[in-house]
Amino acid sequence: MRSYQKLRTAVPQLVVSQEEDEEDAAAPMPTGRSKLAPWWVGSGLLVTAVLLSAITVWVLRQVSGGWHGPAPPSQCYLVPESHRYDCYPERRVVVTQELCESRGCCFIETPPAAGGKQGVPWCFYPPDFPSYALQSLNHTALGMEGLLVRREKAYYPQDIQTLRMDVELQTDTRLHIKITDAAKPRYEVPLEVPRAMKRAENPIYSLEFSRDPFGVLLRRRETGTVLLNTTVAPLIFADQFLQISTTLPSRFLYGLGEHRSTLLHSLDWNTLTLWARDVPPMESFNLYGAHPFYLLMEEDGNAHGVFLLNSNAMEVALQPAPGLTWRTIGGVLDFYIFLGPDPNMVIQQYQEVIGFPAMPPLWALGFHLCRWGYGSSNETWQTVRAMRNFQIPQDAQWNDIDYMDGYRDFTFDPQKFASLPSLVEDLHKHGQHYVMILDPGISSTSPHGSYQPFDEGLRRGLFMNTTQGQPLIGQVWPGYTAFPDFSNTDTRQWWLENLQRFHAHVPFDGLWIDMNEPSNFMDGSAEGCPPGELDSPPYTPAVLGDSLSAKTVCASAKQNASVHYNLHNLYGLMEAEATASALIQIRGKRPFVISRSTFPSQGRYSGHWLGDNQSQWKDMYYSIPGILSFSLFGIPLVGADICGFSGSTSEELCTRWMQLGAFYPFARNHNSQNEKAQDPTVFSPAARTAMKDVLLTRYSLLPFLYTLFHRAHLQGETVARPLFFEFPWDVATYGLDRQFLWGQSLLVTPVLEPGADSVTGYFPRGVWYDFYTGSSVNSSGETLKLLAPLEHLNLHLREGSILPTQKPGTTSMAGQGNPLRLIVALSPRATAWGDLFWDDGESLDTFERGSYSYLVFNATENIFTSNVLHASAEATYVTIDTLSIYGVQEPPSKVLLNGQEKSFSYLDNQVLTVSSLSLSLRQGFSLQWL
């Protein structure tokens, strides 16, 4: 028995791929068997006696030629509980010893986990369970190509005996490994991904393979840390059950959405299911979107990420080894591994594959207001007027499904919403925007000739069909409905045409696409789902409802690109792409789309809100890990329903939630019908003022927020950011999800509990400045108690940063020409840096066309400089009026602006302010304090 070694003439069983001569690596691998007892690789946990015992078992197996009965107990008891990889993951099955041993696995009962949670699996793989062997490995221009062969059938039907593995060393920090059927093509996700043109020259990773059992060992070169070790459990690749497991180098794992959970996932026997589902957010269930990507912080502060490009129903089982198992029921195993080495770089590398997010229009970053239950366009209008009367910032007014005539898309109620066109016209006159909801379900019950969207869709064959070739009929808000097939390009044209016709009557500015998992009020269809392997697969992941068709359409439904079994998780993505494209063609400006269901790459087309939450304090807390997770997924335009959707809020809860929500990248207050209103105008003067003030703070920060979105669009940086992204060496930040950053610089510490007048927050090592006053605290990396009366949200600036702010208006358009104030937060070395991106806020591709301004700000050695790297006409109309410098240690004797003396003020808390600058944004300048 051997551990991992490089391929040598005398050791043919193991190969280290990219470090071998091509001639050696191209030679076919011998067919002899060599098993690893892999769970102890690198762990040093088992004593010599255990090792000798395992070797004995291994030798017996080689003599016997394969184990076809129960695993010997001597093997089973050697496997530590934390390293037991589940051999019988089926739910709703009482796993008996007989069932377990029929699969050739170990069966050991352990005490059940507390609270009915998952615990140590009773049925798990022995160390020599049959797997694939690496029969050959050949070098290619981009990496390697291998052939994997299984000699003993797996226990799921239609297992594939011969697999092809393609390995591409795409960049120095990105590795691509794809495993698929060697004999015939299989479904693959129709997502555009970059093609590598040459092999990486200096990869920061090393890749090794175990021959028998086949396995991958991926290391970080600099540290030797093992990032992946897939020999810990057998690879299984059947037609409808694909499974691969790996150890993890730490317990600090994030991502794998969409779920309601803490930001840092528990590895305590935690299974996360990915299958888009319409269900109000709750712990332990699969929610609206599917994101098979994780980010992992290593023990030394390095980070890496893994993306499985697969859209089938899937679950990811986490265990305390630490270890992880991917299980999916279709497609291929198509992995991208990103080596960082810091978390910001991992997310940027991930988005280099899935695509960088779109640049939103500026108005999208303002405050949005909505509710289901306005009842009429006049009542909607009254709310808008009340907001204006109190001069509360608002950029967009929305309507939920109650604007529709009979809940049918592309209609509005001719009685209750007769004045809707006039309302939209009034919004536009005031520099505001209108967003409406659309559901994908198209009413199928209107008399022929009375509802064009259905008639045309039916005539052109644009709906999802049953296995019999007829439109699949489900039930949503309008009653019986058909579902557009957005995988068909003709459907996208039909969608555009319907939107164009409606826009001619109601000139909407953005679209809210809901119910696009797709949601269905019945399971499958009005006729149920047919028997067969698609609707009743051999293995069903742990989906809510225990069926793939639970509250959605049949998995066997036919679509243009494939069956719904493969495309279900892509439905929201495909609708978002069609919707964004239609908005561009209709308005000729940047599209604004908010979608409920999402999949990797969706940030290119839409933002996301976290769904139908409740007006509860815990829901407010869970929104923070929610928005931070979607920052990891490349969808920075994300928020939750402020004050909660379901249930009635309280004044205190809504005030605190408005304070937090003002710092969601996407900020919308929304609630349900039959609940009391919760827009800022309905509360007491004190609460209303607190809400107004925090929105004005947001609007003052729009130049900074807009610049963060530019950086996200250009190079995949995050907007809302976990603290550990900026402080990866500080393990105390790894589990923080009650605070977050905007970019590198602005720390948000909200109150998340009732009855509080203070809040505790963690401040990583360094100087932090109160955003409002400039007073500083020098933290050694500690938790501090902060005063937090109901009217106050704690915001702090990180040392070394420069934030562009602006005198706020009540809309983004009203404030766009207002003067700027630059806030400089000096480091102890008296340095700082910041930048500003500025354009007209709505035109398409301004950066790509050069129609923008970009400024870089620096402070060093008591000199502040503004450098204009690119300028456009829009910058002509904006001035920099004020410079506030936090952390000036000594009172200056004088201040020079471009060499000319300038008046200033200096406060005891070491804040230097220079006002009345009146400098054009196009004009570079320097300011010195002496």
Side-chain angles (χ1 to χ4, degrees):
M1 175 177 293
R2 297 183 182 273
S3 184
Y4 291 96
Q5 301 173 34
K6 296 182 181 180
L7 180 61
R8 300 285 185 259
T9 305
V11 188
Q13 297 89 354
L14 304 161
V15 57
V16 179
S17 58
Q18 79 251 41
E19 295 183 354
E20 295 306 312
D21 293 334
E22 291 193 16
E23 293 181 4
D24 291 340
M29 303 290 289
T31 58
R33 301 172 63 87
S34 174
K35 291 289 180 180
L36 300 176
W39 64 87
W40 71 66
V41 172
S43 68
L45 296 177
L46 300 183
V47 297
T48 303
V50 172
L51 179 61
L52 290 174
S53 177
I55 292 175
T56 302
V57 171
W58 174 81
V59 171
L60 290 173
R61 167 124 196 212
Q62 310 317 301
V63 174
S64 67
W67 194 275
H68 299 283
S74 58
Q75 288 190 74
C76 299
Y77 282 99
L78 295 178
V79 182
E81 288 187 356
S82 63
H83 290 64
R84 294 178 181 176
Y85 288 82
D86 200 346
C87 177
Y88 217 112
E90 283 81 352
R91 303 299 178 95
R92 313 302 179 192
V93 174
V94 177
V95 181
T96 64
Q97 183 168 353
E98 182 180 8
L99 285 174
C100 179
E101 292 181 349
S102 70
R103 293 185 171 182
C105 289
C106 297
F107 184 85
I108 298 177
E109 293 187 30
T110 55
K117 296 182 178 180
Q118 289 178 258
V120 181
W122 291 7
C123 184
F124 57 94
Y125 295 106
D128 62 348
F129 192 92
S131 185
Y132 288 86
L134 178 60
Q135 187 176 80
S136 64
L137 187 69
N138 298 287
H139 274 264
T140 65
L142 297 177
M144 290 143 276
E145 176 184 302
L147 203 63
L148 313 181
V149 176
R150 173 181 279 279
R151 286 178 297 279
E152 299 181 34
K153 291 184 66 65
Y155 48 81
Y156 284 104
Q158 301 183 63
D159 65 327
I160 298 168
Q161 300 298 297
T162 305
L163 303 175
R164 171 176 168 158
M165 175 183 66
D166 291 292
V167 179
E168 294 180 346
L169 284 64
Q170 294 190 335
T171 72
D172 289 346
T173 57
R174 185 175 79 226
L175 175 67
H176 182 210
I177 302 175
K178 183 165 74 172
I179 301 174
T180 188
D181 190 335
K184 59 183 180 180
R186 292 177 58 81
Y187 164 76
E188 297 186 29
V189 181
L191 184 69
E192 290 185 16
V193 292
R195 290 178 175 268
M197 303 308 294
K198 65 176 183 178
R199 177 178 173 143
E201 296 179 357
N202 298 293
I204 66 172
Y205 50 86
S206 65
L207 187 62
E208 308 168 32
F209 295 100
S210 164
R211 187 189 59 78
D212 192 357
F214 164 74
V216 176
L217 188 82
L218 178 68
R219 296 182 189 270
R220 186 179 297 280
R221 280 189 186 274
E222 183 179 12
T223 63
T225 302
V226 176
L227 308 183
L228 299 176
N229 175 5
T230 70
T231 67
V232 291
L235 167 65
I236 297 179
F237 201 120
D239 184 46
Q240 291 182 273
F241 186 89
L242 291 71
Q243 176 176 279
I244 191 168
S245 301
T246 181
T247 56
L248 300 170
S250 83
R251 297 176 61 88
F252 303 118
L253 184 139
Y254 312 83
L256 298 173
E258 181 177 7
H259 299 93
R260 167 175 282 200
S261 71
T262 55
L263 178 64
L264 176 63
H265 283 301
S266 167
L267 270 59
D268 190 15
W269 306 109
N270 181 21
T271 296
L272 303 171
T273 305
L274 282 63
W275 182 247
R277 167 65 194 251
D278 174 6
V279 61
M282 58 185 72
E283 297 88 327
S284 305
F285 293 121
N286 49 300
L287 301 182
Y288 310 108
H291 292 271
F293 166 81
Y294 71 77
L295 169 74
L296 189 135
M297 292 299 298
E298 298 154 33
E299 299 283 359
D300 55 11
N302 285 321
H304 70 275
V306 176
F307 172 41
L308 173 55
L309 181 51
N310 182 293
S311 62
N312 290 89
M314 181 188 308
E315 63 190 16
V316 185
L318 309 175
Q319 63 190 78
L324 176 149
T325 297
W326 299 92
R327 295 189 197 102
T328 184
I329 60 172
V332 301
L333 296 177
D334 193 0
F335 288 102
Y336 289 83
I337 301 99
F338 311 99
L339 274 292
D342 73 58
N344 291 289
M345 295 175 69
V346 171
I347 301 306
Q348 290 175 271
Q349 292 157 12
Y350 175 44
Q351 290 175 92
E352 287 172 358
V353 170
I354 64 171
F356 295 134
M359 183 67 187
L362 178 62
W363 65 266
L365 307 184
F367 179 61
H368 300 245
L369 191 57
C370 184
R371 78 164 299 173
W372 179 21
Y374 282 123
S376 69
S377 50
N378 286 339
E379 186 178 340
T380 309
W381 210 338
Q382 288 172 9
T383 301
V384 174
R385 289 180 178 130
M387 291 285 286
R388 291 176 190 159
N389 288 339
F390 288 113
Q391 295 184 306
I392 300 173
Q394 182 190 1
D395 259 84
Q397 180 61 51
W398 297 38
N399 277 124
D400 208 318
I401 57 174
D402 44 344
Y403 82 87
M404 298 178 184
D405 184 10
Y407 298 135
R408 295 178 302 170
D409 281 351
F410 314 114
T411 68
F412 64 94
D413 189 311
Q415 280 79 43
K416 296 178 180 178
F417 281 81
S419 62
L420 183 58
S422 299
L423 165 61
V424 175
E425 182 182 6
D426 177 70
L427 289 169
H428 291 166
K429 285 180 179 178
H430 287 83
Q432 295 173 302
H433 298 80
Y434 181 69
V435 180
M436 65 183 195
I437 195 172
L438 280 179
D439 294 338
I442 300 297
S443 174
S444 62
T445 57
S446 299
H448 181 71
S450 65
Y451 184 49
Q452 187 174 6
F454 177 73
D455 293 342
E456 274 295 296
L458 185 65
R459 183 183 69 81
R460 290 153 71 172
L462 304 179
F463 298 119
M464 284 195 279
N465 287 334
T466 66
T467 55
Q468 303 302 310
Q470 299 298 314
L472 183 147
I473 302 299
Q475 184 177 8
V476 202
W477 294 112
Y480 289 119
T481 56
F483 297 88
D485 174 13
F486 288 104
S487 75
N488 186 339
T489 54
D490 292 339
T491 304
R492 301 181 183 195
Q493 177 63 28
W494 164 88
W495 191 247
L496 167 64
E497 292 165 5
N498 282 289
L499 287 169
Q500 285 174 324
R501 279 192 292 268
F502 191 75
H503 191 268
H505 299 284
V506 180
F508 53 85
D509 302 290
L511 290 169
W512 170 23
I513 50 177
D514 191 12
M515 307 288 286
N516 55 350
E517 292 72 32
S519 177
N520 187 358
F521 293 166
M522 52 179 59
D523 292 347
S525 77
E527 299 177 355
C529 296
E533 58 189 14
L534 296 180
D535 292 296
S536 301
Y539 180 82
T540 300
V543 298
L544 178 61
D546 300 319
S547 167
L548 297 183
S549 63
K551 301 307 176 192
T552 189
V553 301
C554 299
S556 58
K558 294 182 177 180
Q559 297 186 236
N560 182 264
S562 187
V563 290
H564 193 70
Y565 180 90
N566 294 326
L567 300 178
H568 172 83
N569 282 338
L570 300 176
Y571 195 86
L573 168 63
M574 290 180 170
E575 186 192 17
E577 185 176 3
T579 304
S581 174
L583 279 170
I584 291 171
Q585 293 179 70
I586 292 169
R587 300 182 69 246
K589 300 176 181 180
R590 283 177 227 164
F592 173 73
V593 182
I594 294 294
S595 175
R596 191 167 73 180
S597 188
T598 58
F599 190 80
S601 80
Q602 192 141 343
R604 298 168 60 189
Y605 312 108
S606 83
H608 173 64
W609 97 106
L610 298 177
D612 297 340
N613 59 4
Q614 298 185 54
S615 297
Q616 296 182 6
W617 290 89
K618 74 168 187 175
D619 288 63
M620 178 168 61
Y621 154 67
Y622 274 122
S623 71
I624 299 177
I627 65 169
L628 295 179
S629 291
F630 273 86
S631 293
L632 272 58
F633 300 148
I635 305 178
L637 189 63
V638 59
D641 284 345
I642 298 171
C643 300
F645 174 73
S646 300
S648 290
T649 191
S650 68
E651 182 164 290
E652 182 190 12
L653 173 61
C654 199
T655 302
R656 292 302 193 189
W657 210 328
M658 283 290 293
Q659 290 170 343
L660 168 60
F663 287 85
Y664 294 155
F666 164 58
R668 181 186 70 162
N669 180 315
H670 177 48
N671 72 327
S672 182
Q673 63 178 351
N674 303 322
E675 304 291 350
K676 62 184 181 182
Q678 62 186 34
D679 65 83
T681 69
V682 304
F683 294 102
S684 71
R688 186 173 62 239
T689 300
M691 295 178 185
K692 175 181 176 179
D693 287 348
V694 77
L695 287 177
L696 288 171
T697 300
R698 177 189 178 91
Y699 274 65
S700 75
L701 284 161
L702 283 181
F704 174 56
L705 181 61
Y706 195 63
T707 300
L708 291 178
F709 270 95
H710 166 69
R711 298 176 71 86
H713 168 64
L714 189 64
Q715 55 199 39
E717 293 188 11
T718 54
V719 176
R721 189 172 301 177
L723 272 75
F724 74 83
F725 270 49
E726 291 301 314
F727 304 93
W729 60 86
D730 186 350
V731 178
T733 64
Y734 288 10
L736 295 181
D737 57 11
R738 300 174 73 87
Q739 298 169 273
F740 59 95
L741 293 160
W742 266 12
Q744 297 179 335
S745 310
L746 186 62
L747 177 62
V748 183
T749 307
V751 172
L752 302 173
E753 296 173 348
D757 58 7
S758 65
V759 63
T760 58
Y762 183 76
F763 287 75
R765 180 180 297 275
V767 179
W768 296 87
Y769 297 92
D770 184 291
F771 170 76
Y772 309 99
T773 68
S775 296
S776 65
V777 57
N778 193 345
S779 174
S780 61
E782 55 197 299
T783 299
L784 302 176
K785 184 176 181 180
L786 310 170
L787 293 178
L790 188 60
E791 69 276 7
H792 184 69
L793 171 69
N794 278 281
L795 300 173
H796 288 83
L797 289 180
R798 181 184 179 186
E799 64 172 63
S801 60
I802 300 175
L803 262 64
T805 71
Q806 188 172 34
K807 181 182 178 181
T810 53
T811 67
S812 60
M813 181 180 292
Q816 205 163 5
N818 288 348
L820 298 178
R821 174 192 177 210
L822 305 180
I823 304 177
V824 182
L826 294 176
S827 72
R829 296 169 303 189
T831 61
W833 183 93
D835 62 344
L836 172 66
F837 176 83
W838 194 272
D839 62 10
D840 68 7
E842 62 178 8
S843 295
L844 293 164
D845 303 323
T846 57
F847 178 78
E848 291 77 5
R849 293 186 290 104
S851 300
Y852 69 94
S853 296
Y854 183 67
L855 289 77
V856 170
F857 310 118
N858 277 287
T860 183
E861 297 181 348
N862 292 1
I863 300 175
F864 173 92
T865 58
S866 173
N867 297 299
V868 181
L869 301 189
H870 195 278
S872 64
E874 285 76 17
T876 305
Y877 311 108
V878 183
T879 60
I880 298 174
D881 188 67
T882 305
L883 195 64
S884 296
I885 306 174
Y886 296 171
V888 177
Q889 300 292 325
E890 301 292 336
S893 60
K894 60 181 176 179
V895 168
L896 302 178
L897 175 63
N898 293 331
Q900 301 297 313
E901 195 163 340
K902 187 73 177 172
S903 61
F904 65 92
S905 66
Y906 181 81
L907 301 179
D908 290 342
N909 63 348
Q910 301 181 339
V911 174
L912 169 65
T913 301
V914 187
S915 303
S916 303
L917 297 174
S918 300
L919 297 166
S920 169
L921 201 60
R922 294 174 59 95
Q923 176 184 350
F925 69 92
S926 67
L927 186 142
Q928 184 177 15
W929 57 100
L930 303 170

